[in-house]
Amino acid sequence: MADGINVTKVFDLKGLACPMPVVKVSKGIKEVQVGEVIEAHTTDPGALTDFPAWANTSGNKIVKTDQDGDVIKFYIERVV
Amino acid sequence: MNNTAENLKETPAAESSTELTMEAVEKQLATLQSRIDVLDKKATEPKVSMIVFSGDLDKVLASFVIATGSVAMGMECVMFFTFWGTPVLRDKKKSVGGKDMMGKMFGTMLPKGTGDVKLSKMNMGGMGTTMMKSLMKKKNVASLEEMLALAEELGVKIYVCEMSMDLMGFKREEMIQYDGLEFCGVAKFLAEAHNSRIQLFI
């Protein structure tokens, strides 16, 4: 729970390099229902551009992005 | 249709030409529909068709990063291994007999599977490749073996060029076990590439 976002599942993708974060998150989003939100933690700086690109193409929605030191946290809502 | 006709009749100016217009509109609609059908057949799919021509560690790795990434993006992916890319798909543990002299020579000189491939630059007699592999491990970059397994799990299709196999004397029995691996010719690639939004030659 962060800022009223109801997170269904959290994925720890820290330390993983390209293309793993995007591969894992694309699998992970299918583990929740449409409308639910997953939280993904990554240390890959490329994810800052990769995740929005993935969301745009796959039709899902990044609700919020947080940066805490090296760790980037994405809150992604399953739309499709 | 009825609704539109009634709406049109409400405006007095349009009344006289209503019948004619409806007929013309229907005709135009039919023409448009047939044109849409033609375009639908021509439309590309969200698919990546890749030719893996190189047999270098760096280039094959890049190919697999794009392949697995494209499935993550919700696209389909087909990889065509040809020429120097072909030996990457040989199984290290399998060996087959009955090859002619040239076949044996190619078999010995070319890499046998993902573990054998070298960097295209800075190989330095194998030292560079070894260093790169340990660096990849340290930086948590997936190895070629892991990428191949991931591609299989994600349903990336692999086609192997039959002509390259024949040229280099490779036999089907010495290739890796991979779900979705098939042997084909150029027509199969072109048919796939024709329907793909993205085509790459690596």
Side-chain angles (χ1 to χ4, degrees):
Chain A
M1 193 75 141
D3 291 351
I5 302 170
N6 219 335
V7 176
T8 309
K9 229 168 180 174
V10 182
F11 293 89
D12 181 8
L13 313 173
K14 291 195 283 286
L16 292 175
C18 178
M20 286 309 173
V22 161
V23 169
K24 299 252 179 191
V25 91
S26 72
K27 277 187 190 171
I29 197 94
K30 295 201 178 99
E31 292 173 22
V32 301
Q33 303 294 317
V34 170
E36 289 181 334
V37 175
I38 62 163
E39 190 178 325
H41 302 175
T42 168
T43 45
D44 175 20
L48 281 172
T49 44
D50 260 21
F51 275 48
W54 164 79
N56 264 335
T57 312
S58 65
N60 292 294
K61 190 178 158 199
I62 295 181
V63 189
K64 192 168 177 275
T65 311
D66 264 347
Q67 207 161 351
D68 180 13
D70 285 343
V71 182
I72 308 156
K73 290 179 185 173
F74 290 98
Y75 299 87
I76 309 152
E77 183 190 329
R78 180 173 177 186
V79 180
V80 286
Chain B
M1 273 312 172
N2 276 339
N3 262 342
T4 326
E6 273 164 27
N7 285 344
L8 279 173
K9 271 178 191 161
E10 275 172 24
T11 40
E15 200 166 1
S16 57
S17 58
T18 302
E19 293 250 324
L20 192 80
T21 315
M22 282 306 293
E23 221 171 278
V25 165
E26 269 172 33
K27 215 174 182 180
Q28 269 191 334
L29 258 176
T31 322
L32 279 175
Q33 189 56 54
S34 66
R35 288 183 67 179
I36 288 171
D37 289 345
V38 171
L39 285 173
D40 265 348
K41 271 184 207 150
K42 282 188 186 166
T44 55
E45 295 161 26
K47 182 156 66 179
V48 182
S49 287
M50 211 185 299
I51 299 182
V52 186
F53 183 91
S54 317
D56 305 308
L57 173 64
D58 37 19
K59 292 180 190 176
V60 178
L61 186 72
S63 308
F64 276 106
V65 170
I66 298 169
T68 51
S70 66
V71 178
M73 299 285 277
M75 295 185 257
E76 247 187 273
C77 183
V78 288
M79 301 172 93
F80 291 82
F81 281 76
T82 186
F83 235 88
W84 307 120
T86 320
V88 180
L89 299 175
R90 292 165 82 203
D91 194 324
K92 202 176 181 64
K93 285 168 271 160
K94 293 180 190 167
S95 59
V96 287
K99 287 192 186 182
D100 60 14
M101 201 193 77
M102 289 304 275
K104 276 181 191 156
M105 199 188 80
F106 269 114
T108 321
M109 290 178 73
L110 288 170
K112 199 167 183 185
T114 46
D116 267 0
V117 292
K118 306 271 177 256
L119 283 175
S120 65
K121 282 191 167 71
M122 294 170 69
N123 181 39
M124 299 179 289
M127 240 168 57
T129 300
T130 310
M131 269 166 63
M132 182 59 82
K133 278 185 182 172
S134 71
L135 198 61
M136 278 165 64
K137 201 170 261 175
K138 197 177 145 207
K139 301 260 182 189
N140 231 336
V141 175
S143 70
L144 209 46
E145 291 75 17
E146 289 166 329
M147 292 302 287
L148 189 65
L150 180 67
E152 183 177 28
E153 188 197 324
L154 292 174
V156 173
K157 272 197 201 148
I158 290 185
Y159 291 97
V160 187
C161 171
E162 189 69 67
M163 189 261 267
S164 301
M165 296 269 296
D166 186 47
L167 202 59
M168 294 172 187
F170 297 149
K171 303 207 167 163
R172 290 184 177 201
E173 301 84 66
E174 66 180 299
M175 305 312 269
I176 53 159
Q177 183 60 46
Y178 181 98
D179 210 15
L181 184 139
E182 278 177 57
F183 300 90
C184 74
V186 70
K188 184 65 194 168
F189 167 72
L190 290 170
E192 292 281 356
H194 182 73
N195 293 328
S196 300
R197 239 164 251 172
I198 301 171
Q199 302 103 12
L200 300 169
F201 185 98
I202 299 173

